[in-house]
Amino acid sequence: QMWEEAIALGKELAEQYENEMFDYEQLSELLRKQAQFYENIVKVIRPKPDYFAVGYYGQGFPTFIRNKVFIYRGKEYERREDFEARLLTQFPNAEKMKTTSPPGDDIKNSSGQYIQCFTVKPKLDLPSKFHRPVSEQIVSFYRVNEVQRFEYSRPVRKGEKNPDNEFANMWIERTIYVTAYKLPGILRWFEVKSVFMVEISPLENAIETMQLTNDKINNMVQQHLNDPNLPINPLSMLLNGIVDPAVMGGFTNYEKAFFTEKYMHEHPEDHDKIEKLKDLIAWQIPFLAEGIRIHGEKVTEALRPFHERMEACFRQLKDKVEKQYGVRAVLSSLDDRRGSRPRSMVRSFTMPSSSRPLSVASVSSISSDSTPSRPGSDGFVLEPLLPKKMHSRSQDKLDKDDLDKDKKEKKKEKRNSKHQEIFDKEFKSTDISLQQSEAVILSETISPLRPQRPKSQVINVISSERRFSVSPSPPSSQVTPPPITPRTKLSFSIQSNLELNGMSSSDIPDVPPPLPLKGSMADYGNLMETQDLISPTTSPPAHQRVSP
């Protein structure tokens, strides 16, 4: 469940897939996995494992662990007792130490095996990219992962014992352990490389405790705002322990210990710390108010009396704190910590598709995918498909040469109106469906020019007096018959392939020679007048024969 680490590795793979291998299929699958990881980070509650400090003392241990301290990462929901039992199974002859203080030389130099085990708290080392308040669900990962510093606190009493207030003389002896590498790593345990100890005064301990309490309230409120289905019992216990003075005493003990004239006179250097503690007490009220509001919305009828008592205690606490330490108001800190999307982003995601403006290209693509669009339908001026092929050359030339946008729009409007008239006149009367495939076929076949006759086709020439037929002959790829204008009776044959290969007409007496090439219309006219009475099978005179 270390999805943050998986995302970091996925980004390296994505760089390879996108810019080196160009494997977009693997890239898309990887990005889908990353999206699921991000969603899991925000929505899935992960267990927080405990960390344990283990010291192996005595000459009976192997040299690589002898008289050394290690930090172990426990399993999910593993208690210290279970961890100790698992540890002692590896060293059945070892003796468990009862204290948490460092042992003396007599134990370290003894021949036995002594194991010291206690729970340590990981110290948060937040990455530098989190430069603003973020969701607790995101930060919670770094509270127990990627940690290298651990601390263990032991209360130490100094001075005279005060039976009325134990916080006045309770010091904290805090031991800091720094491991060789960050946990978790390739192993679940690493050796401690450095150890140092600090002492925390009672006032500093009070400030730290108030800060942790405020953060805990704020984090739980944020969790309930993000997920309304969370159980209400942890919130009830937390609020009741702070609001009801009969349970924990609240911060009244701090007031008795540090907000007195005697303490101010004896410790004038703590004036700034006292003011900070007062500010933290004042800031606790708006956090409690938000928590009680959420508790009132989710409380059941069975717990309604409990909630009403808690509200009554909170009103008294609120009046007292605001009178002594001032009023604090949370304007946007809670909203910023909810982790919700910005309003502009919410608008862009929730904007209905019907209200988004469609471009002309999208309208045309929609119309072309379904049914053929009629000109001028749906308020858009679309050119008809078929008449567009009947533009004159001058019109097409104008469209290509004119680059000015204003003139182009005017010409387009005129052209559309002209096309509409042609469309209504030529094609509206027919029942041909205007489909895109038919438009392409018709545009290629419709032409104002007369199609040429095939070379192998028989040409029939009709005259008002006689009809002559032309005998078919094999097609020739070198000689093309000239176009004939029917005026009078005429019969001729196209040259055969033998003549084209160099043979003369004398070698083939049965086949008449071809007619001379057309020079003008008068040639055929004169030829027809002189050859009017010659039969189709009779050869022309010798002076009119033209060798190929």
Side-chain angles (χ1 to χ4, degrees):
Q1 293 185 340
M2 298 183 66
W3 299 305
E4 288 80 356
E5 303 295 336
I7 289 173
L9 296 177
K11 289 179 179 179
E12 296 183 18
L13 282 176
E15 178 70 20
Q16 293 293 320
Y17 288 146
E18 183 177 5
N19 298 323
E20 299 293 339
M21 301 173 61
F22 302 100
D23 191 345
Y24 289 169
E25 184 176 358
Q26 290 288 340
L27 178 62
S28 63
E29 182 180 356
L30 179 63
L31 293 178
R32 280 192 292 268
K33 288 183 179 180
Q34 288 190 16
Q36 185 63 43
F37 293 156
Y38 279 111
E39 186 177 357
N40 292 343
I41 290 173
V42 178
K43 294 185 178 180
V44 178
I45 298 178
R46 291 174 279 188
K48 297 180 180 180
D50 291 332
Y51 286 89
F52 308 102
V54 179
Y56 300 94
Y57 302 105
Q59 300 298 318
F61 286 109
T63 55
F64 70 95
I65 62 173
R66 183 184 303 165
N67 295 330
K68 293 182 180 179
V69 180
F70 297 85
I71 301 295
Y72 283 77
R73 177 186 172 99
K75 298 181 179 179
E76 296 179 359
Y77 304 109
E78 186 177 28
R79 300 178 302 170
R80 183 173 59 87
E81 293 79 6
D82 300 331
F83 175 77
E84 288 178 350
R86 183 162 59 93
L87 192 65
L88 290 174
T89 55
Q90 302 177 12
F91 303 98
N93 297 326
E95 181 182 350
K96 178 185 172 183
M97 297 179 61
K98 303 295 184 182
T99 62
T100 59
S101 58
D105 294 337
D106 54 343
I107 294 180
K108 291 181 179 180
N109 297 327
S110 65
S111 60
Q113 295 179 349
Y114 298 90
I115 292 180
Q116 187 182 54
C117 180
F118 51 91
T119 305
V120 292
K121 181 181 178 182
K123 193 171 182 61
L124 174 64
D125 187 12
L126 203 61
S128 59
K129 63 180 180 180
F130 299 111
H131 53 81
R132 59 180 297 272
V134 295
S135 173
E136 174 61 23
Q137 191 74 4
I138 299 175
V139 178
S140 62
F141 171 80
Y142 299 97
R143 295 189 185 277
V144 293
N145 295 283
E146 296 187 9
V147 287
Q148 196 172 0
R149 295 161 59 91
F150 303 86
E151 59 185 29
Y152 175 74
S153 302
R154 291 191 307 114
V156 177
R157 299 191 181 277
K158 294 182 179 181
E160 298 180 0
K161 184 177 180 180
N162 187 356
D164 297 334
N165 192 347
E166 60 181 4
F167 294 97
N169 56 0
M170 188 175 66
W171 289 67
I172 299 296
E173 185 181 273
R174 180 164 295 168
T175 306
I176 309 297
Y177 301 92
V178 182
T179 57
Y181 306 98
K182 290 185 177 181
L183 279 169
I186 193 172
L187 298 176
R188 297 181 68 92
W189 55 282
F190 285 121
E191 182 183 355
V192 174
K193 288 299 183 181
S194 63
V195 181
F196 58 93
M197 186 181 299
V198 294
E199 284 189 350
I200 299 176
S201 65
L203 180 58
E204 292 173 345
N205 183 34
I207 294 174
E208 184 177 312
T209 304
M210 283 298 302
Q211 184 66 54
L212 293 176
T213 304
N214 291 352
D215 292 342
K216 191 174 183 179
I217 300 172
N218 189 22
N219 294 336
M220 189 164 291
V221 166
Q222 178 185 341
Q223 291 177 5
H224 281 271
L225 289 175
N226 294 333
D227 188 3
N229 298 323
L230 288 178
I232 197 175
N233 294 337
L235 181 63
S236 302
M237 296 174 61
L238 177 64
L239 296 177
N240 189 50
I242 298 172
V243 172
D244 193 351
V247 180
M248 294 287 290
F251 49 82
T252 307
N253 293 326
Y254 299 149
E255 294 176 342
K256 294 178 180 178
F258 310 115
F259 296 169
T260 60
E261 294 292 336
K262 179 181 179 181
Y263 187 87
M264 293 290 294
H265 181 71
E266 293 178 355
H267 304 86
E269 69 280 359
D270 293 342
H271 176 73
D272 294 339
K273 296 178 181 178
I274 291 176
E275 293 298 324
K276 184 177 181 179
L277 181 59
K278 291 180 179 180
D279 186 64
L280 290 173
I281 294 174
W283 271 110
Q284 194 177 74
I285 298 302
F287 295 144
L288 289 173
E290 185 70 13
I292 290 177
R293 182 190 67 80
I294 295 175
H295 189 272
E297 294 176 354
K298 302 176 66 174
V299 71
T300 60
E301 291 299 326
L303 294 177
R304 181 63 62 181
F306 168 76
H307 176 73
E308 292 176 354
R309 168 175 169 75
M310 193 163 57
E311 279 187 330
C313 295
F314 173 70
R315 283 193 294 267
Q316 297 178 1
L317 181 66
K318 180 180 178 181
D319 295 339
K320 174 186 175 182
V321 171
E322 290 181 350
K323 183 178 179 180
Q324 293 182 359
Y325 310 117
V327 180
R328 304 291 188 276
V330 180
L331 298 178
S332 59
S333 61
L334 284 177
D335 295 336
D336 293 340
R337 288 171 175 261
R338 288 180 187 178
S340 59
R341 292 173 177 168
R343 295 183 178 179
S344 59
M345 190 179 296
V346 173
R347 280 201 302 270
S348 64
F349 279 115
T350 59
M351 183 177 182
S353 59
S354 58
S355 61
R356 299 174 191 164
L358 289 176
S359 62
V360 178
S362 62
V363 173
S364 62
S365 63
I366 291 172
S367 62
S368 63
D369 290 340
S370 56
T371 57
S373 57
R374 305 286 297 184
S377 62
D378 297 332
F380 291 90
V381 181
L382 299 178
E383 296 182 10
L385 296 176
L386 292 177
K388 190 172 183 179
K389 299 296 182 180
M390 300 183 66
H391 288 177
S392 63
R393 294 183 178 180
S394 61
Q395 187 73 15
D396 291 336
K397 191 174 183 180
L398 273 174
D399 293 341
K400 295 179 180 178
D401 297 337
D402 193 1
L403 300 177
D404 191 25
K405 293 183 180 180
D406 298 334
K407 292 182 180 181
K408 216 169 185 180
E409 292 295 330
K410 294 180 182 179
K411 291 178 183 293
K412 189 175 180 180
E413 294 178 1
K414 294 180 181 180
R415 193 164 62 249
N416 288 339
S417 60
K418 185 183 293 185
H419 292 165
Q420 184 66 34
E421 294 176 2
I422 298 174
F423 181 83
D424 295 338
K425 182 178 179 181
E426 296 291 334
F427 300 94
K428 210 168 184 180
S429 59
T430 64
D431 295 330
I432 301 175
S433 61
L434 301 179
Q435 297 183 3
Q436 189 172 1
S437 59
E438 295 178 356
V440 174
I441 296 173
L442 289 178
S443 65
E444 292 179 354
T445 57
I446 292 179
S447 175
L449 299 176
R450 180 179 178 180
Q452 296 181 357
R453 292 190 182 98
K455 300 174 184 179
S456 61
Q457 200 175 32
V458 178
I459 304 174
N460 295 326
V461 182
I462 302 174
S463 176
S464 59
E465 297 178 358
R466 296 178 187 174
R467 175 178 297 175
F468 295 92
S469 63
V470 180
S471 60
S473 63
S476 174
S477 60
Q478 298 182 8
V479 179
T480 57
I484 300 173
T485 303
R487 284 185 58 190
T488 55
K489 297 166 281 186
L490 178 62
S491 175
F492 68 94
S493 297
I494 301 177
Q495 291 180 1
S496 64
N497 291 332
L498 294 175
E499 293 185 25
L500 292 176
N501 292 331
M503 297 181 64
S504 62
S505 59
S506 61
D507 297 334
I508 308 173
D510 295 335
V511 180
L515 290 173
L517 297 177
K518 179 181 176 182
S520 63
M521 294 300 296
D523 296 341
Y524 286 106
N526 299 332
L527 182 63
M528 290 300 108
E529 291 175 1
T530 58
Q531 301 292 332
D532 192 14
L533 299 176
I534 299 176
S535 63
T537 58
T538 305
S539 300
H543 68 276
Q544 290 185 353
R545 295 182 182 178
V546 180
S547 61

